[in-house]
Amino acid sequence: MNRRDETRPEASDQGANASAGAGRPAEPAQDGGVRAALVVVSAVLFAEALLMVGLVIWLIVDLFALEPSSMATAIALLVLVVIGAVWVSAVAFASLRRAPWSRAAAIVWQILQVSVAVGAFQGLFARPDLGWALLVPAITVIGLLLWTPVRIAYSRPEDQPAA
C-alpha cells in the first residue's frame, strides 16, 4: 500500500468495514493494472530506444560499407537518427522515474512514429509490415499515457488531485 491509498477515505472505510480474512478491496487490483500499464510504457520506450540505437549502428555501417549518392545527406540523416536515439533513451530512463516531462515527450515521440507508420503504408515503396510494427506500439503507448491513472502517476505529488 502506498501513501496515497492510506490518505483516501474510501480505503480506510473499506479496511474498517471488512471483516478479518475477507477479500481484498478493489483498489489494489486497480493499482496492479496501473503498475502493469507503467511497465508496458517503459518497456516499449526502452525497446524503441534499443531499435533506434540499432538503426544508428546500421547507418554507420552503411555509411562506410556503401558509397552514398550524397555524403552530406547520409551524414545529416545519421545525425538526426543519433539525436532521436538519445532523445528516446532519455525519455525511457525518465519514464522509470515517472518524470512529468517524460509523459509529454513520449507522446510526441509516438505521434512522430505514427506519422512514419502512415507513410510506410503508402507510396511506391510501401511496407505495411513495418507500418504495423510502428503503429501498434505507438497507439498502445499513447492510449496508456492518456489513461487517467497513468497520467496521475506521471504527475508531481503537489499536482495530484486532493482526495
Side-chain angles (χ1 to χ4, degrees):
M1 215 178 211
N2 60 26
R3 284 182 276 158
R4 283 182 276 160
D5 291 336
E6 294 170 352
T7 60
R8 290 185 187 156
E10 65 269 11
S12 60
D13 290 341
Q14 285 176 350
N17 294 335
S19 62
R24 295 178 147 193
E27 193 69 21
Q30 185 180 15
D31 284 345
V34 173
R35 276 192 214 106
L38 292 169
V39 167
V40 167
V41 167
S42 293
V44 170
L45 287 172
F46 272 104
E48 291 171 352
L50 285 174
L51 288 172
M52 287 295 290
V53 169
L55 185 59
V56 167
I57 293 168
W58 181 51
L59 287 174
I60 290 171
V61 168
D62 271 0
L63 186 64
F64 293 115
L66 303 173
E67 183 178 340
S69 58
S70 170
M71 185 62 81
T73 302
I75 291 173
L77 179 63
L78 178 62
V79 168
L80 287 175
V81 174
V82 166
I83 290 169
V86 169
W87 183 38
V88 176
S89 299
V91 171
F93 281 106
S95 75
L96 290 178
R97 295 186 351 257
R98 294 189 204 153
W101 66 267
S102 67
R103 180 179 166 266
I107 289 173
V108 167
W109 176 255
Q110 301 311 315
I111 290 172
L112 290 172
Q113 194 167 309
V114 166
S115 66
V116 172
V118 168
F121 285 116
Q122 53 196 345
L124 184 59
F125 301 106
R127 290 286 309 265
D129 55 338
L130 291 178
W132 286 114
L134 292 170
L135 188 64
V136 170
I139 296 298
T140 302
V141 170
I142 289 172
L144 290 174
L145 288 173
L146 293 178
W147 186 32
T148 302
V150 173
R151 182 181 52 81
I152 291 170
Y154 274 91
S155 64
R156 293 183 190 99
E158 63 268 10
D159 292 342
Q160 292 179 356

